[in-house]
Amino acid sequence: MCGIVGYIGKRKAYPILIKGLHRLEYRGYDSAGVALINDEGQLNVYKAKGKVAELEAFCAEKDTNGCIGIAHTRWATHGEPNTVNAHPHYSESERLAIIHNGIIENYAVLKAGLQQEGYTFRSDTDTEVLVQLIEYTQVNRHVDLKTAVQLALQQVIGAYAIAILDKDHPDTLIAARKGSPLVVGIGEDEYFLASDATPIVEYTDKVIYIEDEEVVVLTANSQSSILNYQLSTINGVDKTPEIKRLELSLSQLEKGGYPHFMLKEIFEQPRTLTDSMRGRVNVRQDNIALSGFIDNKERFLNAKRIIITACGTSWHAGLIAMYAIEEFAQIPVEVEYSSEFRYRKPVINQDDVVIAISQSGETADTLAAIQLAKSKGAFIFSICNVVGASIPRVSDSGCYTHVGPEIGVASTKAFTAQVTALTMLALCIGREKGTMSEDKYLAVVRELGRIPDKISRVLEQDARIADFAKTFTYAQNFIYLGRGYNYPVAMEGALKLKEISYIHAEGYPAAEMKHGPIALISQEMPVVVVAPHCGTYEKVVSNIQEIKARKGRVIAVVTEGDELVSKIADYIIEVPETEECLTPLLTVIPLQLLAYHIAVVKGCDVDQPRNLAKSVTVE
Ligand code: G6P
């Protein structure tokens, strides 16, 4: 969702803030803004609709001096994306400026109360209500700003990560969070503040993760070396901050010569999967060691049921895991959209294991689903990519995917790593329970070790995929079909295409085509069929015949050496032979590339598609 960045220290804040906003732009990008207190004590706020570049252009002739500032890139929740609704927002007196990520759910009640007190509002946002409430509290309760922030936040229902500047205190930056992430970077003579570590990493590796309902006061003086931070709860209880070390490097954030982060991340997959398996898959000793499983073996072995909860691409990874866990461990699995699960009064038992999957580790619905399951006594195991994020912190155990930062909004390398982690888990449980044969276990473990090289072979077909992708930019609709382990791959392929090319696409189980989608098939309808050599291969071939009989255009993903489909499909992409449970790791690659190239030819903004955000921290 929205991106927050703040700076206080001896350097000029503006360039640091702008650079930080660029790094955070993947979180939201409908408008951006910055607030700075200059050396004369003036509080300047500048905002622009559109991307960060628009803000920079707008600020070119403005006074951008000052060693303290906050900046924001917005993904609209309340109020349309325009300059007025862009952050920062002033308080009534224009003494305070605030930026905010999250949603204040009771903003209407709070706003009505403030309007009765004579406060006027310039924007439609919930954020402006919060800054007005803080100023109102400070003026009427005669307290300092920190106390006013604490008191105001006690009245707030909803989620927030906020940062506030006070014109009268140009040496102080105040921030707080609940439900939306916030991290403080500790430099030599300076502090940084951000929604995630990406804007901070080039300055320091010392960070403090702010926890829910905590307020941090950062004090630094540009003239002297006074540097101080204080942490407390919104109820006024002092806390001792824990300083952690960042494991992120700057080179991981750069495009490395690729035109887009998404393409870089697709091509990184042979390496990222090697990283995900490092120290876990031991091909020489033919075993898998997953510490999150080893330390909690009994919980898994006694589980009567596994519930998987996730959103978006992570949910697709969860569906693939359902096939693997049921096949190998023979434990019933349910896969739930977090947003539905959290509200539908689900039956959760103490002997259930809940697996939460999240690249960002911050998705609000998944976090809430975990909290619900935890309150019922279930054991929570999370699969996350961002180290130290909220979801792994509230889980009982878990497994990091270790693929480095994923910047492209459309998830690619995180997905294959999630599938890999979940497959490792399924194998661990299956072997320990004795529900899978040793031969099968060994075959899959050995094959996991070969997957990175096999992905490299699929990537070699990139130029050909780019070439035939041009043929399909006319299409308004696509259907993606697959069966078994490759049914979720079909859904993931369709999601990739709609996310970045804005072409409508549906993923369907191939056999279900006859119950609806077949009516749509015509010469204009491209159908992507995922048809590797698996148990249901012949049946999928029949489905392809049915499509061809209706003049549909078929792009098929097949196993190398395929003879049947190659004769009837219009385009084929080959993937190497592998174990059935691992086919998604290969078959999804061409679908990622197809979506990417179609979007590029259409001139779409691949890394930052309209209306989407990388990390959905509001429900
Ligand atoms: C957003 C992103 C998707 C992602 C989903 C779940 O919609 O754009 O790429 O799959 O959130 O995010 P998570 O971080 O929980 O995996």
Side-chain angles (χ1 to χ4, degrees):
M1 296 279 109
C2 311
I4 283 181
V5 53
Y7 174 81
I8 178 167
K10 289 186 170 172
R11 288 194 257 182
K12 196 175 167 193
Y14 178 74
I16 295 170
L17 297 174
I18 289 293
K19 203 169 186 183
L21 284 188
H22 278 298
R23 293 221 189 279
L24 287 176
E25 208 170 14
Y26 72 95
R27 296 179 71 92
Y29 31 76
D30 59 45
S31 54
V34 58
L36 299 149
I37 303 178
N38 70 12
D39 300 339
E40 286 78 51
Q42 261 180 320
L43 174 57
N44 293 315
V45 171
Y46 307 121
K47 317 198 250 193
K49 188 178 169 196
K51 299 200 167 187
V52 177
E54 313 285 331
L55 176 68
E56 273 182 280
F58 180 73
C59 291
E61 305 296 319
K62 301 277 189 287
D63 172 11
T64 55
N65 285 309
C67 299
I68 176 169
I70 52 177
H72 188 265
T73 172
R74 180 170 186 246
W75 185 89
T77 54
H78 288 75
E80 68 170 276
N82 58 26
T83 314
V84 177
N85 289 332
H87 301 208
H89 290 284
Y90 278 125
S91 61
E92 184 81 5
S93 70
E94 301 196 354
R95 179 171 62 81
L96 307 179
I98 194 171
I99 52 176
H100 167 221
N101 172 22
I103 293 180
I104 310 296
E105 288 169 15
N106 59 338
Y107 84 104
V109 179
L110 296 171
K111 187 171 181 175
L114 288 161
Q115 278 168 330
Q116 272 181 6
E117 297 293 329
Y119 277 66
T120 52
F121 289 83
R122 306 165 182 93
S123 78
D124 306 320
T125 65
D126 50 342
T127 305
E128 191 183 8
V129 176
L130 185 53
V131 72
Q132 301 277 47
L133 180 65
I134 292 168
E135 181 169 285
Y136 172 81
T137 308
Q138 194 179 5
V139 171
N140 287 280
R141 304 278 290 266
H142 309 290
V143 289
D144 62 13
L145 184 60
K146 179 179 101 174
T147 313
V149 170
Q150 290 168 329
L151 292 171
L153 292 178
Q154 286 171 22
Q155 298 176 58
V156 162
I157 299 171
Y160 53 81
I162 54 168
I164 304 162
L165 287 188
D166 179 352
K167 186 161 76 159
D168 293 348
H169 292 95
D171 57 353
T172 305
L173 180 57
I174 298 191
R177 84 156 251 184
K178 183 184 175 193
S180 296
L182 201 59
V183 54
V184 173
I186 304 174
E188 276 295 306
D189 286 314
E190 56 198 357
Y191 292 120
F192 305 86
L193 183 77
S195 328
D196 63 48
T198 45
I200 293 178
V201 63
E202 65 188 282
Y203 306 107
T204 179
D205 64 351
K206 284 199 288 184
V207 294
I208 302 169
Y209 294 101
I210 306 300
E211 300 288 345
D212 274 351
E213 302 202 333
E214 284 183 354
V215 179
V216 66
V217 180
L218 304 170
T219 317
N221 192 313
S222 58
Q223 313 305 324
S224 67
S225 289
I226 303 169
L227 198 70
N228 190 15
Y229 57 79
Q230 285 176 344
L231 194 68
S232 59
T233 67
I234 62 167
N235 297 316
V237 178
D238 288 338
K239 301 271 298 261
T240 310
E242 197 184 329
I243 299 176
K244 301 235 163 98
R245 232 159 244 292
L246 270 184
E247 285 173 18
L248 201 62
S249 75
L250 192 56
S251 62
Q252 288 177 303
L253 300 178
E254 309 292 353
K255 282 190 202 150
Y258 287 92
H260 298 100
F261 279 110
M262 183 179 176
L263 191 63
K264 175 191 170 215
E265 288 159 3
I266 292 173
F267 271 83
E268 273 177 343
Q269 289 174 105
R271 181 185 59 72
T272 53
L273 287 201
T274 307
D275 290 345
S276 297
M277 290 189 268
R278 182 165 296 119
R280 293 166 171 167
V281 176
N282 189 330
V283 179
R284 258 185 236 132
Q285 288 170 17
D286 281 334
N287 81 340
I288 292 176
L290 216 52
S291 60
F293 168 76
I294 295 167
D295 299 344
N296 302 283
K297 224 179 253 179
E298 295 311 314
R299 288 303 300 245
F300 283 97
L301 299 183
N302 295 330
K304 298 267 182 319
R305 175 174 67 155
I306 290 179
I307 301 169
I308 297 180
T309 185
C311 303
T313 288
S314 299
W315 185 78
H316 294 154
L319 280 182
I320 294 172
M322 175 178 76
Y323 287 85
I325 295 172
E326 294 201 339
E327 180 181 349
F328 301 145
Q330 289 171 23
I331 301 172
V333 179
E334 288 167 21
V335 187
E336 302 269 1
Y337 282 118
S338 306
S339 52
E340 287 298 310
F341 183 66
R342 65 179 289 195
Y343 285 119
R344 72 166 178 75
K345 302 184 181 63
V347 177
I348 306 167
N349 301 316
Q350 292 193 347
D351 50 15
D352 287 334
V353 168
V354 171
I355 302 178
I357 313 169
S358 175
Q359 185 285 129
S360 62
E362 299 293 350
T363 301
D365 283 322
T366 304
L367 200 51
I370 291 177
Q371 270 144 1
L372 173 69
K374 224 176 161 176
S375 71
K376 308 274 181 187
F379 178 75
I380 317 290
F381 185 91
S382 61
I383 308 258
C384 291
N385 187 38
V386 178
V387 176
S390 303
I391 289 175
R393 280 189 285 149
V394 298
S395 303
D396 296 308
S397 177
C399 169
Y400 282 116
T401 47
H402 291 309
V403 299
E406 188 178 66
I407 307 291
V409 165
S411 184
T412 53
K413 63 176 180 176
F415 172 75
T416 45
Q418 289 166 343
V419 173
T420 304
L422 289 156
T423 306
M424 292 192 285
L425 181 64
L427 291 167
C428 289
I429 311 172
R431 185 188 222 188
E432 200 66 37
K433 277 191 81 178
T435 43
M436 73 186 295
S437 75
E438 190 65 5
D439 283 354
K440 185 72 181 175
Y441 177 87
L442 293 180
V444 180
V445 172
R446 287 173 193 161
E447 188 57 18
L448 265 174
R450 294 182 204 116
I451 285 291
D453 284 345
K454 292 191 175 180
I455 292 180
S456 299
R457 268 160 61 192
V458 182
L459 290 169
E460 283 166 16
Q461 298 174 72
D462 178 49
R464 209 168 56 78
I465 296 171
D467 198 41
F468 73 68
K470 292 185 204 130
T471 323
F472 293 103
T473 45
Y474 73 88
Q476 308 271 320
N477 297 286
F478 262 73
I479 295 179
Y480 285 68
L481 301 176
R483 284 193 81 151
Y485 281 94
N486 284 289
Y487 155 49
V489 173
M491 292 207 285
E492 175 60 8
L495 177 63
K496 289 291 84 91
L497 187 72
K498 62 188 147 198
E499 278 180 312
I500 60 172
S501 74
Y502 316 138
I503 296 174
H504 172 249
E506 292 281 352
Y508 246 81
E512 277 292 302
M513 186 181 69
K514 290 193 210 61
H515 302 288
I518 200 162
L520 300 170
I521 300 208
S522 71
Q523 266 172 330
E524 275 76 54
M525 176 64 89
V527 184
V528 178
V529 187
V530 191
H533 274 154
C534 295
T536 49
Y537 172 73
E538 268 84 21
K539 296 186 191 308
V540 179
V541 175
S542 305
N543 296 137
I544 297 176
Q545 301 279 17
E546 289 156 11
I547 300 162
K548 287 312 298 175
R550 286 157 186 83
K551 301 201 165 39
R553 302 182 71 194
V554 173
I555 305 159
V557 179
V558 297
T559 303
E560 279 172 0
D562 180 286
E563 286 179 356
L564 279 179
V565 177
S566 313
K567 289 199 190 96
I568 47 176
D570 297 83
Y571 299 91
I572 61 153
I573 309 160
E574 292 189 327
V575 300
E577 179 100 50
T578 189
E579 286 287 327
E580 180 163 1
C581 64
L582 302 181
T583 51
L585 296 172
L586 303 182
T587 53
V588 77
I589 308 289
L591 306 193
Q592 295 170 345
L593 288 170
L594 182 66
Y596 171 79
H597 289 298
I598 291 177
V600 169
V601 181
K602 286 192 76 186
C604 300
D605 190 342
V606 172
D607 282 336
Q608 295 175 351
R610 69 183 180 212
N611 302 341
L612 293 177
K614 182 76 189 156
S615 160
V616 181
T617 52
V618 294
E619 62 172 292

